[in-house]
Amino acid sequence: MSKANLLDRRSVVAGLLAGRHEAIVVGGLGASTYDIAAAGDHDRNFYLWGAMGGAVMIGLGVALAQPDLPVVVITGDGEMLMGIGSLATVGLQKPGNLTIVVLDNEVYGETGGQASHTAGNVDLVGVARACGISDARAVATMADIEAFAPSMQNVSSGPRFVSIKIDAANLERVLSSRDGQFTVTRIRGSLGFGPI
């Protein structure tokens, strides 16, 4: 934990992905993608570069297409705010295999650290519940993370939404391949499909 009693983002993501098994992990714009790469590159990581607001909808599409596999979206509060309507679609579709994790540092880290709406009165957990995602919660400790992580493997009890307050540290960027065709081909190969 940092001096402000907030969790370290890299420790949170590493803890969530430690037992990922065959999960497909979609990383949101910027820091969450760097955090996923820092936890270890994997054939089933789908990194977004510049698709702000799209992570949850991409995760939903993958979850619907691959209902027998766990799908985890890890994104930030700024991107979740940009794509807030996606929660309504997830709430209607109710994919049992989808988990949405929001790393909430209460700032728009990619544009200079301006305060995001979650620094004010916006409650993303409340929004998720209002959109029909009944398993929506905030977690605040690494013990909570460790207890929650195994539930991401359950492909029938979702969707799940978790908001985690993290510190706003500007960490070193850990870059994976930025070649979109490579990323898509690699994921398709890991799922038993040929190249496009």
Side-chain angles (χ1 to χ4, degrees), residues 150-170:
S151 72
M152 298 186 321
Q153 296 300 314
N154 188 318
V155 297
S156 62
S157 67
R160 288 165 289 281
F161 180 94
V162 178
S163 178
I164 305 167
K165 294 290 186 180
I166 58 165
D167 66 27
N170 189 7

Side-chain angles (χ1 to χ4, degrees), residues 33-120:
T33 283
Y34 309 143
D35 298 335
I36 293 166
D41 193 26
H42 191 282
D43 285 351
R44 292 192 178 180
N45 286 353
F46 188 80
Y47 305 108
L48 294 182
W49 303 107
M52 187 166 181
V56 171
M57 289 309 287
I58 289 172
L60 173 61
V62 173
L64 293 174
Q66 298 293 324
D68 296 329
L69 292 173
V71 177
V72 179
V73 174
I74 301 177
T75 192
D77 53 306
E79 181 175 354
M80 189 70 262
L81 289 162
M82 173 72 91
I84 200 87
S86 62
L87 294 178
T89 305
V90 169
L92 283 173
Q93 293 291 317
K94 298 200 181 313
N97 59 332
L98 180 63
T99 301
I100 301 163
V101 177
V102 176
L103 304 174
D104 185 358
N105 61 7
E106 300 183 350
V107 298
Y108 294 105
E110 294 300 305
T111 60
Q114 304 88 346
S116 81
H117 297 10
T118 61

